Amino acid sequence: MCALLHIDCGGNMTKEILIVDDSASCLELVKSLITSHFEFALKLTTCTNGVEAKQTLAQNSFDLVITDIVMPEMDGYELIRYIRSNQHVPIVALSAGNGKLDTELTLNVAQAIGANAVVSKLQLDTDLIKTVQPFLI
């Protein structure tokens, strides 16, 4: 199920971000990092898998999509391909890999199929903000 969080910081510029991850703790961390570092109004929409995100993207436009790669129902690779076939929104892919693929390989594939940037979940605290900032300013 998708959720919406709107943070109004008094400015007239609102950035809309879609965050997709099946891990509730990762969704909360990404939301917390973004809301604590940007001083403009934000509209954050979260989804827990690619199917929900695809439906949300069909009905809304976003300034940025941040997506996990390894998810049930529809993984991040499929979501990136879907977005690239329909929209030009910037995409930041996240992954910690899985038991079969390492993080670097997972993220390299994401970038090869259309992600604008990638961040290892193991380095979210240090790398997320500097990675997404150019797409939001």
Side-chain angles (χ1 to χ4, degrees):
M1 186 164 89
C2 294
L4 174 66
L5 171 66
H6 188 230
I7 300 169
D8 188 358
C9 296
N12 60 1
M13 178 178 72
T14 299
K15 293 294 184 171
E16 298 190 31
I17 303 171
L18 175 62
I19 307 166
V20 188
D21 201 309
D22 59 318
S23 165
S25 61
C26 189
L27 281 174
E28 288 304 313
L29 177 58
V30 171
K31 286 188 329 187
S32 174
L33 289 168
I34 289 174
T35 58
S36 67
H37 283 87
F38 295 106
E39 296 182 5
F40 43 77
L42 296 167
K43 180 180 173 188
L44 304 180
T45 302
T46 60
C47 296
T48 59
N49 63 59
V51 173
E52 291 176 355
K54 183 178 174 182
Q55 293 168 349
T56 300
L57 283 159
Q59 299 172 2
N60 302 279
S61 62
F62 293 92
D63 297 297
L64 177 66
V65 174
I66 301 171
T67 184
D68 184 22
I69 296 300
V70 181
M71 297 182 290
E73 296 186 49
M74 178 187 212
D75 66 26
Y77 295 141
E78 291 177 70
L79 181 59
I80 292 168
R81 286 186 192 102
Y82 169 77
I83 294 169
R84 284 295 163 251
S85 70
N86 295 291
Q87 300 179 18
H88 297 289
V89 62
I91 303 168
V92 175
L94 310 176
S95 186
N98 66 19
K100 298 174 186 169
L101 296 173
D102 73 2
T103 303
E104 186 175 348
L105 176 60
T106 304
L107 293 173
N108 285 342
V109 172
Q111 206 156 25
I113 63 171
N116 297 85
V118 296
V119 176
S120 167
K121 283 186 175 182
L122 304 174
Q123 299 171 328
L124 272 179
D125 289 342
T126 59
D127 292 352
L128 182 66
I129 296 305
K130 67 182 176 186
T131 302
V132 302
Q133 189 167 9
F135 301 113
L136 297 175
I137 294 179

